[in-house]
Amino acid sequence: MRIFFSGLMLICLFASVNGQPPKPVKIPSPIIQNALDLIKSQQFSEAEKLLRDQLKKTPANVDARFLLGTVLIQTDKIDEGIKNLEGVLKIDPRHLQANYNLALIFSKRGDNKKAIPYLERAAGIFPPNKTPKSEDAVLLTALTRAYIGEQRKKEAENLIPFIEKISSRDIRILFTLGLIQAELGNYEKAAGVFENVNAQRPGSTDVLYNLGIAYYNLDKLAEAQKVLLEAVNLSPNQPEFYYRLGLIATAQKDSDAAVSYWLKALELKADYHEADFLIGEELLKNKKISGALPFYQKAAQLQPERVLYQLRLGVAYFRLQQYIDARKVFQTVLVKYPADPNFNYLNGYMARAEGLFDQALESFEKVLKVSPDNADVLASIGYIALERGELDKAEQILRRTIKLDPKNFPAYYDLGRLLSRQKKFSEAVPILEQGIALSKDDPGIRYQLFIAYSRLKQKEKAAAMFAEFKRLEKVFNAGSGSSTSADQIRNLPDSIEQKQP
């Protein structure tokens, strides 16, 4: 979510926030007035010298120390400026401008923990009384944001009604409060605020955009789509608007519209890696793996540190049987995350597909050290034992896998194959039938069941299963871009493919 919150600047005697500074302190001293005139004319070096000389004579002069701190900040001597402002507060802890300036310095640095006490004092919040004395809505909004940054959600939420009360007609403040409510996950309240702002000042693309996001998070997809299309009509060259419309379209299960919106986003912003990635996801979801690959490649190239991008790229290579490319991806990631169980699994699974069983087992053992009951890894180890003819070992592992994960499709598939190889067709049939119930589109298991039915002289079932096998094999080959049979290369288990480090 974009945050439209103006920067904070320090100006002379007081800190100005969006043009709403606290009232300046009246300083009658001629020396101080002279320093102030120098500051206003941006003669900071002269003002610094004058103030330092004054402080040598009167070290406890609050006004001189405050002005010196402000000047030092204006000349990039920020740390020394902070010390002088803190010195002001040692003499006068409730000095409004010193608290204000220090609060804004630490807010700008992103140090909310240090900013909060100064913001509270500037707002007139002194324990045990937590009601602000200040009605500076921008200051209180900054405090609310600082609370959120420190995960002090309750205190942030307690301030919001007070800010709303004193800013009921201030569109800018209300809009910021809507953003804060959204940041807190209060999307219903955020939507209400944005609706109010939109009613008072219609036609703002920023308001419509954030209202659309709030609706989207409330699963009000039609409403979200409507306001985002209105935003697009007002400002047709914003890639973010099309990106969000794509998210709505995919949530509505309209893949063509989603891809179309994301392509438009890429047309407006060529390096929009999120759009590239999601196009890849949408195409992969529709089994258009060859079409998905270039989008995954571009996303991974633009953001090589995004581990999920690398994972999906490696899986796409794997499914297209481009094993060398897949291996490069997985091994590159493993250099950074050598103990990561997900990438060790994928690296092992790829080695398994290439018939490099020793390398596969080495990777799988690394996973088992972290997760000894990982059913997906055990299923692959059972597969390797089966391929090596270690039938007793394979059966033991595969049955353990099913016990651990009753929905592990590969384990049913391989256990059914194993039992058929042992000519235990009566035992194989219920195992394979359970496997089919877990996979609506895998042709390989249907071929195994066809063999079992045939050996048991169940001709009608065998014929129907063979026809289903041929139909699904054609679909599988068309989607994967491969002429290899599904029995030779099956899809990665979805549960693993979705995992992230």
Side-chain angles (χ1 to χ4, degrees), residues 209-221:
Y209 170 79
N210 284 283
L211 178 56
I213 293 174
Y215 283 149
Y216 173 80
N217 282 287
L218 292 168
D219 204 28
K220 296 181 178 180
L221 300 180

Side-chain angles (χ1 to χ4, degrees), residues 108-171:
K108 189 174 181 180
R109 288 181 170 183
D111 192 341
N112 293 310
K113 188 173 183 179
K114 285 187 177 179
I116 286 172
Y118 299 117
L119 284 165
E120 288 178 332
R121 285 196 289 268
I125 299 176
F126 301 102
N129 179 21
K130 286 293 183 179
T131 302
K133 291 183 178 179
S134 171
E135 292 193 358
D136 183 337
V138 177
L139 168 64
L140 296 174
T141 301
L143 177 56
T144 305
R145 295 291 307 281
Y147 282 146
I148 294 171
E150 285 299 298
Q151 308 298 315
R152 293 164 66 173
K153 181 178 178 180
K154 184 176 180 180
E155 288 161 290
E157 289 179 330
N158 288 341
L159 268 183
I160 291 174
F162 182 82
I163 300 171
E164 288 177 332
K165 182 179 178 180
I166 64 177
S167 308
S168 59
R169 304 297 297 176
D170 190 325
I171 299 297

